Amino acid sequence: MSSTLHTQPAGGGCDAGAIDELACIATGIQRRAEVTQEHLPQLREFQERFNGARTGYTKARLAAKTDLDEAGATLGKVREQIRCRVTHEQRHCLEQAVDRVFEEIRRCAGGRGCCVEDCGCDFSDAVGPDDTVATLSARIAHYTTDTLHAAACFTALVGELTALPERAAKIKADAAQLLADVCDPVLGQDVVRLYARLLVLLRRIREAWRGFSTVSEFVDCLCKALLCVLKGWQAIAVLEGARAERACQEETRRGACERKQKETVEEVMAEYTRLCPPCPDQAGLADADSPEEEAAPAEA
């Protein structure tokens, strides 16, 4: 953002307005630097995590696939043992119930597919002549919300490197427990509940990847989230600087107005001097016309 300095007065001298303007520009530059430094550690941390994400996520998927395949085989045995003990109507109702519950979970918890969108990271650091502290504050607040969302998305995605294997391992353990319960003479009697557990685990196997069918899809989403955070904080730093400069300018104008009201005569004289500066030529002429010191009278 550039600002135009006040024009030097016709009569010469120091323009206090230009000094105030420079001070406000410096305030804006300082604020922009402060915001950049504030978020630089997070940006560096995210960059380091992103660099190792592809390898880490590939390993996580391989480990998870092994456990999920074993869980699927175990659940196949469970289905064989209890399917004939559940009526067609019971199976149909349980399948509908599972669909509805998982749909509600998806709406309230999210967690499937990429958590950032391309259009959600459209940050502009342009500052127009009509922008004020209020308009800049509104944009900063909006951009901050979107940037924090992208940062949370990035953190959650990185967490998948450990969460995915843990999730798969739990599904495998739950499948083994279900098979044991089916064979239990007491727990094995509640076949409707056992079949519900079967359907839930089968659905969890399908959704274990959180909507990412390949490693590339995951890494692309992670990259989008990182770029969104970078662009967001960059734009916010520029707008914070502009807001600080605007606030300084508004404060300067208020101070000047108060000064004019309190020291009106002095302000009038200062303005008079700027409007009608003394002419050097006239000052010299006045000196020339002034009577010389009278000569001493001649001696008689």
mmCIF file of all heavy atoms in Angstrom, residues 154-186:
data_model
loop_
_atom_site.group_PDB
_atom_site.id
_atom_site.type_symbol
_atom_site.label_atom_id
_atom_site.label_comp_id
_atom_site.label_asym_id
_atom_site.label_seq_id
_atom_site.Cartn_x
_atom_site.Cartn_y
_atom_site.Cartn_z
ATOM 1 N N PHE A 154 -5.651 -29.009 7.987
ATOM 2 C CA PHE A 154 -4.299 -29.519 7.781
ATOM 3 C C PHE A 154 -3.856 -30.382 8.963
ATOM 4 O O PHE A 154 -3.309 -31.479 8.782
ATOM 5 C CB PHE A 154 -3.326 -28.356 7.585
ATOM 6 C CG PHE A 154 -1.923 -28.780 7.267
ATOM 7 C CD1 PHE A 154 -1.502 -28.942 5.959
ATOM 8 C CD2 PHE A 154 -1.012 -29.025 8.286
ATOM 9 C CE1 PHE A 154 -0.208 -29.344 5.667
ATOM 10 C CE2 PHE A 154 0.283 -29.425 8.009
ATOM 11 C CZ PHE A 154 0.691 -29.586 6.693
ATOM 12 N N THR A 155 -4.116 -29.897 10.170
ATOM 13 C CA THR A 155 -3.721 -30.644 11.367
ATOM 14 C C THR A 155 -4.440 -31.983 11.447
ATOM 15 O O THR A 155 -3.843 -33.009 11.796
ATOM 16 C CB THR A 155 -4.028 -29.811 12.625
ATOM 17 O OG1 THR A 155 -3.306 -28.569 12.552
ATOM 18 C CG2 THR A 155 -3.605 -30.548 13.881
ATOM 19 N N ALA A 156 -5.738 -31.994 11.111
ATOM 20 C CA ALA A 156 -6.502 -33.244 11.134
ATOM 21 C C ALA A 156 -5.982 -34.225 10.092
ATOM 22 O O ALA A 156 -5.890 -35.433 10.349
ATOM 23 C CB ALA A 156 -7.983 -32.950 10.906
ATOM 24 N N LEU A 157 -5.637 -33.714 8.923
ATOM 25 C CA LEU A 157 -5.114 -34.587 7.865
ATOM 26 C C LEU A 157 -3.780 -35.204 8.274
ATOM 27 O O LEU A 157 -3.550 -36.405 8.073
ATOM 28 C CB LEU A 157 -4.956 -33.796 6.566
ATOM 29 C CG LEU A 157 -6.256 -33.383 5.868
ATOM 30 C CD1 LEU A 157 -5.963 -32.435 4.721
ATOM 31 C CD2 LEU A 157 -7.012 -34.606 5.368
ATOM 32 N N VAL A 158 -2.908 -34.390 8.848
ATOM 33 C CA VAL A 158 -1.627 -34.919 9.306
ATOM 34 C C VAL A 158 -1.849 -35.973 10.392
ATOM 35 O O VAL A 158 -1.119 -36.968 10.472
ATOM 36 C CB VAL A 158 -0.728 -33.775 9.823
ATOM 37 C CG1 VAL A 158 0.511 -34.328 10.505
ATOM 38 C CG2 VAL A 158 -0.322 -32.858 8.677
ATOM 39 N N GLY A 159 -2.881 -35.754 11.199
ATOM 40 C CA GLY A 159 -3.192 -36.719 12.247
ATOM 41 C C GLY A 159 -3.601 -38.077 11.707
ATOM 42 O O GLY A 159 -3.526 -39.088 12.430
ATOM 43 N N GLU A 160 -4.039 -38.120 10.435
ATOM 44 C CA GLU A 160 -4.422 -39.388 9.837
ATOM 45 C C GLU A 160 -3.251 -40.362 9.723
ATOM 46 O O GLU A 160 -3.457 -41.574 9.631
ATOM 47 C CB GLU A 160 -5.010 -39.154 8.444
ATOM 48 C CG GLU A 160 -6.467 -38.762 8.441
ATOM 49 C CD GLU A 160 -7.364 -39.896 8.924
ATOM 50 O OE1 GLU A 160 -7.535 -40.879 8.193
ATOM 51 O OE2 GLU A 160 -7.871 -39.789 10.052
ATOM 52 N N LEU A 161 -2.031 -39.850 9.727
ATOM 53 C CA LEU A 161 -0.870 -40.734 9.631
ATOM 54 C C LEU A 161 -0.808 -41.716 10.801
ATOM 55 O O LEU A 161 -0.290 -42.829 10.673
ATOM 56 C CB LEU A 161 0.419 -39.922 9.563
ATOM 57 C CG LEU A 161 0.849 -39.439 8.163
ATOM 58 C CD1 LEU A 161 -0.179 -38.495 7.564
ATOM 59 C CD2 LEU A 161 2.198 -38.735 8.222
ATOM 60 N N THR A 162 -1.326 -41.291 11.946
ATOM 61 C CA THR A 162 -1.397 -42.193 13.105
ATOM 62 C C THR A 162 -2.824 -42.673 13.351
ATOM 63 O O THR A 162 -3.031 -43.792 13.818
ATOM 64 C CB THR A 162 -0.870 -41.493 14.365
ATOM 65 O OG1 THR A 162 -1.598 -40.271 14.571
ATOM 66 C CG2 THR A 162 0.616 -41.179 14.223
ATOM 67 N N ALA A 163 -3.813 -41.826 13.048
ATOM 68 C CA ALA A 163 -5.206 -42.185 13.334
ATOM 69 C C ALA A 163 -5.695 -43.324 12.447
ATOM 70 O O ALA A 163 -6.460 -44.191 12.903
ATOM 71 C CB ALA A 163 -6.109 -40.962 13.154
ATOM 72 N N LEU A 164 -5.278 -43.347 11.177
ATOM 73 C CA LEU A 164 -5.751 -44.387 10.264
ATOM 74 C C LEU A 164 -5.328 -45.785 10.718
ATOM 75 O O LEU A 164 -6.185 -46.678 10.824
ATOM 76 C CB LEU A 164 -5.262 -44.089 8.852
ATOM 77 C CG LEU A 164 -5.584 -45.145 7.791
ATOM 78 C CD1 LEU A 164 -7.089 -45.393 7.715
ATOM 79 C CD2 LEU A 164 -5.043 -44.725 6.426
ATOM 80 N N PRO A 165 -4.059 -46.038 11.012
ATOM 81 C CA PRO A 165 -3.688 -47.375 11.509
ATOM 82 C C PRO A 165 -4.377 -47.725 12.819
ATOM 83 O O PRO A 165 -4.769 -48.886 13.034
ATOM 84 C CB PRO A 165 -2.166 -47.277 11.685
ATOM 85 C CG PRO A 165 -1.743 -46.161 10.805
ATOM 86 C CD PRO A 165 -2.876 -45.184 10.827
ATOM 87 N N GLU A 166 -4.516 -46.743 13.706
ATOM 88 C CA GLU A 166 -5.189 -47.010 14.978
ATOM 89 C C GLU A 166 -6.656 -47.357 14.751
ATOM 90 O O GLU A 166 -7.206 -48.250 15.418
ATOM 91 C CB GLU A 166 -5.071 -45.790 15.894
ATOM 92 C CG GLU A 166 -3.653 -45.510 16.381
ATOM 93 C CD GLU A 166 -3.554 -44.229 17.180
ATOM 94 O OE1 GLU A 166 -4.588 -43.515 17.281
ATOM 95 O OE2 GLU A 166 -2.466 -43.929 17.704
ATOM 96 N N ARG A 167 -7.299 -46.657 13.817
ATOM 97 C CA ARG A 167 -8.705 -46.918 13.523
ATOM 98 C C ARG A 167 -8.877 -48.324 12.947
ATOM 99 O O ARG A 167 -9.797 -49.060 13.340
ATOM 100 C CB ARG A 167 -9.195 -45.859 12.534
ATOM 101 C CG ARG A 167 -10.668 -45.854 12.309
ATOM 102 C CD ARG A 167 -11.132 -44.531 11.732
ATOM 103 N NE ARG A 167 -10.474 -44.184 10.488
ATOM 104 C CZ ARG A 167 -9.660 -43.129 10.331
ATOM 105 N NH1 ARG A 167 -9.400 -42.331 11.347
ATOM 106 N NH2 ARG A 167 -9.114 -42.873 9.153
ATOM 107 N N ALA A 168 -7.986 -48.683 12.038
ATOM 108 C CA ALA A 168 -8.058 -50.018 11.429
ATOM 109 C C ALA A 168 -7.797 -51.116 12.463
ATOM 110 O O ALA A 168 -8.456 -52.167 12.449
ATOM 111 C CB ALA A 168 -7.055 -50.111 10.284
ATOM 112 N N ALA A 169 -6.849 -50.871 13.348
ATOM 113 C CA ALA A 169 -6.538 -51.864 14.383
ATOM 114 C C ALA A 169 -7.736 -52.075 15.309
ATOM 115 O O ALA A 169 -8.021 -53.212 15.730
ATOM 116 C CB ALA A 169 -5.319 -51.420 15.182
ATOM 117 N N LYS A 170 -8.446 -51.006 15.623
ATOM 118 C CA LYS A 170 -9.625 -51.128 16.496
ATOM 119 C C LYS A 170 -10.734 -51.895 15.791
ATOM 120 O O LYS A 170 -11.432 -52.720 16.413
ATOM 121 C CB LYS A 170 -10.132 -49.748 16.916
ATOM 122 C CG LYS A 170 -11.256 -49.831 17.951
ATOM 123 C CD LYS A 170 -11.693 -48.463 18.405
ATOM 124 C CE LYS A 170 -12.691 -48.566 19.575
ATOM 125 N NZ LYS A 170 -13.812 -49.486 19.308
ATOM 126 N N ILE A 171 -10.933 -51.638 14.504
ATOM 127 C CA ILE A 171 -11.954 -52.380 13.754
ATOM 128 C C ILE A 171 -11.621 -53.864 13.743
ATOM 129 O O ILE A 171 -12.500 -54.727 13.908
ATOM 130 C CB ILE A 171 -12.059 -51.827 12.318
ATOM 131 C CG1 ILE A 171 -12.615 -50.400 12.342
ATOM 132 C CG2 ILE A 171 -12.940 -52.729 11.455
ATOM 133 C CD1 ILE A 171 -12.605 -49.710 10.997
ATOM 134 N N LYS A 172 -10.354 -54.164 13.559
ATOM 135 C CA LYS A 172 -9.918 -55.566 13.576
ATOM 136 C C LYS A 172 -10.206 -56.203 14.932
ATOM 137 O O LYS A 172 -10.721 -57.335 15.014
ATOM 138 C CB LYS A 172 -8.426 -55.638 13.259
ATOM 139 C CG LYS A 172 -7.821 -57.030 13.372
ATOM 140 C CD LYS A 172 -6.322 -56.979 13.137
ATOM 141 C CE LYS A 172 -5.677 -58.336 13.421
ATOM 142 N NZ LYS A 172 -4.203 -58.297 13.217
ATOM 143 N N ALA A 173 -9.880 -55.490 16.020
ATOM 144 C CA ALA A 173 -10.122 -56.015 17.363
ATOM 145 C C ALA A 173 -11.618 -56.170 17.626
ATOM 146 O O ALA A 173 -12.063 -57.164 18.219
ATOM 147 C CB ALA A 173 -9.495 -55.089 18.394
ATOM 148 N N ASP A 174 -12.424 -55.207 17.189
ATOM 149 C CA ASP A 174 -13.871 -55.279 17.390
ATOM 150 C C ASP A 174 -14.472 -56.442 16.604
ATOM 151 O O ASP A 174 -15.437 -57.087 17.067
ATOM 152 C CB ASP A 174 -14.529 -53.973 16.961
ATOM 153 C CG ASP A 174 -14.224 -52.831 17.915
ATOM 154 O OD1 ASP A 174 -13.732 -53.106 19.028
ATOM 155 O OD2 ASP A 174 -14.459 -51.657 17.534
ATOM 156 N N ALA A 175 -13.930 -56.699 15.407
ATOM 157 C CA ALA A 175 -14.423 -57.821 14.606
ATOM 158 C C ALA A 175 -14.119 -59.150 15.297
ATOM 159 O O ALA A 175 -14.966 -60.061 15.331
ATOM 160 C CB ALA A 175 -13.793 -57.780 13.223
ATOM 161 N N ALA A 176 -12.927 -59.256 15.851
ATOM 162 C CA ALA A 176 -12.569 -60.484 16.576
ATOM 163 C C ALA A 176 -13.460 -60.669 17.801
ATOM 164 O O ALA A 176 -13.890 -61.798 18.113
ATOM 165 C CB ALA A 176 -11.098 -60.431 16.974
ATOM 166 N N GLN A 177 -13.753 -59.580 18.493
ATOM 167 C CA GLN A 177 -14.614 -59.661 19.663
ATOM 168 C C GLN A 177 -16.038 -60.055 19.272
ATOM 169 O O GLN A 177 -16.710 -60.818 19.975
ATOM 170 C CB GLN A 177 -14.622 -58.317 20.391
ATOM 171 C CG GLN A 177 -15.414 -58.322 21.692
ATOM 172 C CD GLN A 177 -14.856 -59.297 22.707
ATOM 173 O OE1 GLN A 177 -13.670 -59.240 23.023
ATOM 174 N NE2 GLN A 177 -15.702 -60.190 23.220
ATOM 175 N N LEU A 178 -16.495 -59.541 18.140
ATOM 176 C CA LEU A 178 -17.836 -59.883 17.669
ATOM 177 C C LEU A 178 -17.928 -61.378 17.369
ATOM 178 O O LEU A 178 -18.931 -62.031 17.723
ATOM 179 C CB LEU A 178 -18.174 -59.064 16.428
ATOM 180 C CG LEU A 178 -19.529 -59.382 15.771
ATOM 181 C CD1 LEU A 178 -20.677 -59.172 16.765
ATOM 182 C CD2 LEU A 178 -19.730 -58.511 14.528
ATOM 183 N N LEU A 179 -16.922 -61.921 16.726
ATOM 184 C CA LEU A 179 -16.917 -63.355 16.430
ATOM 185 C C LEU A 179 -16.948 -64.170 17.718
ATOM 186 O O LEU A 179 -17.671 -65.187 17.815
ATOM 187 C CB LEU A 179 -15.685 -63.718 15.606
ATOM 188 C CG LEU A 179 -15.545 -65.189 15.210
ATOM 189 C CD1 LEU A 179 -16.751 -65.649 14.392
ATOM 190 C CD2 LEU A 179 -14.247 -65.418 14.435
ATOM 191 N N ALA A 180 -16.208 -63.730 18.731
ATOM 192 C CA ALA A 180 -16.208 -64.433 20.014
ATOM 193 C C ALA A 180 -17.580 -64.345 20.684
ATOM 194 O O ALA A 180 -18.068 -65.327 21.271
ATOM 195 C CB ALA A 180 -15.136 -63.850 20.927
ATOM 196 N N ASP A 181 -18.234 -63.193 20.576
ATOM 197 C CA ASP A 181 -19.546 -63.017 21.201
ATOM 198 C C ASP A 181 -20.611 -63.863 20.493
ATOM 199 O O ASP A 181 -21.563 -64.339 21.130
ATOM 200 C CB ASP A 181 -19.953 -61.549 21.186
ATOM 201 C CG ASP A 181 -19.086 -60.701 22.108
ATOM 202 O OD1 ASP A 181 -18.372 -61.277 22.955
ATOM 203 O OD2 ASP A 181 -19.099 -59.458 21.958
ATOM 204 N N VAL A 182 -20.474 -64.016 19.192
ATOM 205 C CA VAL A 182 -21.412 -64.845 18.450
ATOM 206 C C VAL A 182 -21.352 -66.296 18.937
ATOM 207 O O VAL A 182 -22.378 -66.996 19.017
ATOM 208 C CB VAL A 182 -21.122 -64.767 16.942
ATOM 209 C CG1 VAL A 182 -21.897 -65.854 16.172
ATOM 210 C CG2 VAL A 182 -21.492 -63.393 16.404
ATOM 211 N N CYS A 183 -20.153 -66.712 19.266
ATOM 212 C CA CYS A 183 -19.969 -68.088 19.739
ATOM 213 C C CYS A 183 -20.296 -68.262 21.215
ATOM 214 O O CYS A 183 -20.349 -69.407 21.718
ATOM 215 C CB CYS A 183 -18.530 -68.544 19.473
ATOM 216 S SG CYS A 183 -18.084 -68.527 17.722
ATOM 217 N N ASP A 184 -20.483 -67.140 21.934
ATOM 218 C CA ASP A 184 -20.791 -67.211 23.362
ATOM 219 C C ASP A 184 -22.230 -67.699 23.557
ATOM 220 O O ASP A 184 -23.147 -67.192 22.894
ATOM 221 C CB ASP A 184 -20.607 -65.828 23.992
ATOM 222 C CG ASP A 184 -20.763 -65.857 25.501
ATOM 223 O OD1 ASP A 184 -21.915 -65.754 25.965
ATOM 224 O OD2 ASP A 184 -19.746 -65.984 26.199
ATOM 225 N N PRO A 185 -22.455 -68.668 24.466
ATOM 226 C CA PRO A 185 -23.803 -69.212 24.631
ATOM 227 C C PRO A 185 -24.824 -68.205 25.150
ATOM 228 O O PRO A 185 -26.026 -68.350 24.901
ATOM 229 C CB PRO A 185 -23.602 -70.353 25.649
ATOM 230 C CG PRO A 185 -22.316 -70.035 26.336
ATOM 231 C CD PRO A 185 -21.479 -69.333 25.321
ATOM 232 N N VAL A 186 -24.365 -67.174 25.857
ATOM 233 C CA VAL A 186 -25.290 -66.167 26.385
ATOM 234 C C VAL A 186 -25.397 -64.979 25.432
ATOM 235 O O VAL A 186 -26.492 -64.608 24.998
ATOM 236 C CB VAL A 186 -24.840 -65.700 27.789
ATOM 237 C CG1 VAL A 186 -25.767 -64.602 28.297
ATOM 238 C CG2 VAL A 186 -24.805 -66.869 28.758
#
